[in-house]
Amino acid sequence: MRSLFGFSKSEDAAVQATPKTSEKVAHDSAESVENKSDLPAIPPVFDCEPSDGPLQDIRSLSEDEQKVFDKVKADIPELVKDLPPIDPEALKFIDKDVPLDIEDWLTDECIARYVRARKGVYEDTKKALRKTIEWRASTRPHALRPDVVEVENRTGKMYLNGFDKFSRPVIYMYNHKQNTKEADNQIRWVICTLEMCIRHMRPGVEKVTLAIDATHWGFSNSVSIGTAKKFLEILANHYPERLGRAVIFMPPRFFVAFYSLVSPFIDPVTKAKVAFVNPNAVNDAQTQSDNNNSPWIQVEDCFDRSKLEKDCYGNWEFQYDHAVYWPAVETEFAQRKETMLQNEKEKQQAHAQDQGEQQDEQQEEQKQDA
């Protein structure tokens, strides 16, 4: 499972310096990948079109979980007190002008996800939320600069592009396009991608879908244990209940055999999210099983083929072109920053107005008392 996010073997040491900016690396012919198609470059899709199709099924909280939810929500003022400053190491990789997003992040839906992930245990839920609040305050994952992680996706190994049939953002993963040299920076790119997905979820959608091309999968694409552990901890601790489906296209036989051996030991909720697809065997009863316990599904169970990339066995002619995709990432980040700054300005103005009104009321009361 640890190769699902396209990690490669690399050092676990932290990045010591900020990578080159996108303007400089664009001319690095040794790293960049040219678009091999003669077709005009197709821009990426970050925004979900209105759809009449079904949305994901979000489990409602049980009666006991609702009680925990209410208690945790009442504790929010306590949970957001005395937040840590930005970590000096994080300052190398973020835009420090982007405001902290805790207020917008800490929605009812967010609290409910933590309640589900912590099995409705009050203390565990409260501790987990506080831990993530502190992490977001000190590392600012929403403020990771595009120029920091740009190097990670020159080959187009992993990126957000479009939505599945349930309007969940789709992250495409092509492990054979691996180019990582610094493990920590790849983790930053995964986090950056997840944050982009969350920003572009339509109301009623809370999870992402992974479309993983395993055609060229091999042990050389595996990750060191230390890096895998660090990433999985971030995913479990700070993005709980965010994975909708991990669809693995054309998994090698040895991968399927290994999964069959370990699947009995995987949490049932997690196991239900992992799916295998063999697009060339849609009508093969042995692979496309009707057995609910089988991980094999058909493409149409999760995707509209017209909106699924051709490289993942769909009919969409999209081909990753870094010269087209990355400016879209930079634009998305700039627009998000501008929106957050404007919202922050309006909040400060509203706060100042409230304080002014309170002072006026106090002065009026003092006059009446006099």
Side-chain angles (χ1 to χ4, degrees):
M1 293 291 292
R2 69 190 190 191
S3 67
L4 294 186
F5 275 82
F7 289 120
S8 67
K9 290 180 179 178
S10 56
E11 297 296 329
D12 290 327
V15 180
Q16 297 300 316
T18 302
K20 300 175 183 177
T21 63
S22 56
E23 182 179 356
K24 292 180 180 179
V25 297
H27 298 88
D28 192 343
S29 60
E31 293 280 351
S32 62
V33 175
E34 297 180 357
N35 185 9
K36 302 299 181 182
S37 173
D38 293 331
L39 297 172
I42 299 175
V45 174
F46 293 160
D47 295 312
C48 186
E49 298 178 356
S51 172
D52 295 328
L55 298 181
Q56 65 179 112
D57 182 21
I58 303 176
R59 180 177 68 80
S60 300
L61 297 178
S62 67
E63 184 176 347
D64 289 340
E65 288 175 331
Q66 185 63 45
K67 292 178 181 178
V68 171
F69 171 90
D70 293 338
K71 287 182 66 178
V72 172
K73 187 172 182 179
D75 290 334
I76 293 303
E78 174 190 346
L79 290 172
V80 298
K81 277 184 178 179
D82 303 322
L83 297 181
I86 301 176
D87 188 298
E89 184 69 14
L91 282 171
K92 300 178 183 178
F93 313 113
I94 67 168
D95 185 331
K96 58 183 176 58
D97 293 329
V98 175
L100 185 58
D101 69 339
I102 297 300
E103 184 176 336
D104 294 332
W105 173 82
L106 200 51
T107 62
D108 286 356
E109 293 79 9
C110 174
I111 298 172
R113 283 193 298 274
Y114 277 78
V115 172
R116 295 190 198 96
R118 297 302 178 261
K119 311 298 182 185
V121 178
Y122 169 68
E123 287 298 336
D124 291 351
T125 302
K126 185 176 176 180
K127 289 178 182 178
L129 264 176
R130 174 62 187 188
K131 186 175 181 179
T132 297
I133 290 170
E134 290 178 348
W135 177 75
R136 294 192 72 86
S138 61
T139 65
R140 309 291 174 104
H142 65 292
L144 281 167
R145 301 198 318 272
D147 66 285
V148 168
V149 293
E150 191 269 351
V151 64
E152 288 299 326
N153 214 49
R154 290 183 213 166
T155 58
K157 65 171 178 252
M158 188 202 76
Y159 52 88
L160 161 65
N161 192 25
F163 300 80
D164 70 4
K165 66 183 295 184
F166 301 102
S167 297
R168 295 177 296 208
V170 177
I171 299 177
Y172 287 91
M173 298 179 178
Y174 299 102
N175 290 2
H176 61 285
K177 298 182 180 180
Q178 185 56 246
N179 70 332
T180 292
K181 295 180 180 179
E182 293 286 357
D184 279 4
N185 208 42
Q186 182 162 12
I187 291 176
R188 291 187 197 97
W189 173 226
V190 174
I191 291 172
C192 187
T193 303
L194 284 171
E195 291 285 329
M196 284 182 61
C197 287
I198 294 168
R199 289 198 290 268
H200 291 276
M201 289 177 177
R202 57 177 292 193
V205 176
E206 297 184 13
K207 302 184 179 185
V208 302
T209 290
L210 310 181
I212 305 160
D213 177 20
T215 307
H216 307 284
W217 190 90
F219 288 109
S220 61
N221 294 326
S222 296
V223 67
S224 66
I225 294 176
T227 302
K229 181 180 179 182
K230 182 176 181 179
F231 167 71
L232 293 175
E233 285 177 351
I234 291 174
L235 195 65
N237 292 333
H238 306 310
Y239 297 93
E241 298 287 304
R242 283 300 193 182
L243 177 61
R245 210 73 191 267
V247 183
I248 306 171
F249 292 84
M250 301 294 283
R253 290 184 179 180
F254 68 86
F255 184 93
V256 176
F258 174 76
Y259 180 81
S260 298
L261 290 174
V262 302
S263 61
F265 306 100
I266 299 176
D267 178 79
V269 176
T270 302
K271 183 164 65 174
K273 298 177 181 180
V274 179
F276 298 156
V277 172
N278 181 351
N280 299 325
V282 174
N283 298 317
D284 188 338
Q286 292 182 344
T287 57
Q288 305 292 348
S289 172
D290 291 331
N291 183 351
N292 290 332
N293 294 321
S294 172
W296 292 95
I297 66 170
Q298 297 186 15
V299 172
E300 289 76 14
D301 290 336
C302 193
F303 301 97
D304 177 342
R305 282 184 182 262
S306 68
K307 298 178 181 179
L308 179 66
E309 290 187 9
K310 199 167 185 179
D311 287 343
C312 258
Y313 306 94
N315 298 326
W316 188 17
E317 294 287 349
F318 181 93
Q319 284 192 328
Y320 185 84
D321 185 333
H322 195 62
V324 174
Y325 188 91
W326 205 254
V329 171
E330 294 173 324
T331 298
E332 192 272 349
F333 181 83
Q335 291 176 343
R336 171 66 174 171
K337 175 182 176 180
E338 182 179 356
T339 299
M340 291 189 72
L341 288 172
Q342 181 61 34
N343 291 342
E344 185 69 14
K345 181 179 179 180
E346 292 174 358
K347 289 177 184 177
Q348 291 176 354
Q349 291 175 341
H351 180 67
Q353 183 176 350
D354 289 341
Q355 284 187 324
E357 291 176 354
Q358 290 177 2
Q359 290 177 353
D360 291 343
E361 291 175 358
Q362 291 175 354
Q363 291 175 357
E364 185 64 28
E365 291 176 356
Q366 290 173 355
K367 288 180 180 179
Q368 292 177 356
D369 293 340

